[in-house]
């Protein structure tokens, strides 16, 4: 159980690094995104690693994003899925997110897959 808590904190920090200043850092993105990384964007588009890196490096003014409700599913010793919620600082664009992480033989966790889906509004 303790190992899962430690892994949750590690992956949470890596995930949140992609929402901060490192979001525009090409070197960091090339290090953290798995060579076969793909993403299904919040708007439903499938994009690859190169498209993701170019998009993030080219962002001029990224909005502040708040993340919460992190949950970890340990798939194996070297694979995990992270589920969480995000919302922009202004309260807009709530989303449910999932990220699949893989650990290399050198102990480096990389992001293999990410999906963001608009959160349903309760009535």
């Amino acid at each position: 159980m303790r190992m899962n808590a430690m892994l949750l904190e590690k992956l949470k920090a890596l995930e949140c690094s992609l929402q901060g200043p490192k979001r525009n850092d090409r070197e960091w993105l090339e290090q953290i995104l798995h060579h076969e990384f793909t993403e299904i964007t919040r708007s439903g588009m499938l994009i690859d690693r190169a498209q993701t890196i170019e998009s993030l490096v080219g962002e001029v003014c990224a909005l502040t994003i708040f993340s919460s409700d992190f949950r970890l599913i340990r798939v194996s010793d070297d694979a995990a899925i992270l589920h969480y919620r995000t919302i922009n600082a202004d309260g807009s664009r709530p989303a449910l997110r999932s990220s699949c992480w893989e650990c290399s033989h050198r102990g480096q966790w990389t992001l293999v897959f990410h999906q963001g889906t608009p959160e349903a509004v309760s009535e």
Side-chain angles (χ1 to χ4, degrees):
M1 188 66 167
R2 175 84 178 120
M3 293 296 286
N4 280 347
M6 289 171 47
L7 180 58
L8 173 62
E9 289 308 309
K10 180 175 189 66
L11 295 182
K12 182 177 164 183
L14 288 171
E15 190 75 46
C16 289
S17 78
L18 294 167
Q19 300 165 4
K22 288 190 173 190
R23 183 177 180 89
N24 304 110
D25 182 338
R26 180 180 299 276
E27 188 176 316
W28 173 248
L29 294 170
E30 289 175 354
Q31 184 179 356
I32 198 77
L33 298 180
H34 190 277
H35 65 277
E36 293 187 36
F37 173 81
T38 57
E39 176 176 6
I40 299 174
T41 66
R42 189 180 183 283
S43 56
M45 295 180 58
L46 179 63
I47 59 175
D48 65 20
R49 182 178 189 263
Q51 292 168 308
T52 299
I53 290 171
E54 288 309 311
S55 174
L56 294 177
V57 168
E59 276 185 348
V60 178
C61 183
L63 294 172
T64 301
I65 300 169
F66 295 112
S67 301
S68 64
D69 303 330
F70 286 88
R71 282 185 323 141
L72 176 75
I73 298 171
R74 190 76 185 252
V75 179
S76 68
D77 286 344
D78 60 356
I81 299 170
L82 193 62
H83 292 287
Y84 62 103
R85 287 186 157 81
T86 60
I87 193 163
N88 288 350
D90 65 2
S92 67
R93 299 176 58 89
L96 300 175
R97 300 190 179 268
S98 294
S99 294
C100 182
W101 291 85
E102 180 182 74
C103 188
S104 72
H105 64 280
R106 294 179 307 227
Q108 171 67 43
W109 285 91
T110 56
L111 184 56
V112 178
F113 176 79
H114 180 80
Q115 180 169 357
T117 303
E119 188 170 10
V121 179
S122 10
E123 295 182 24

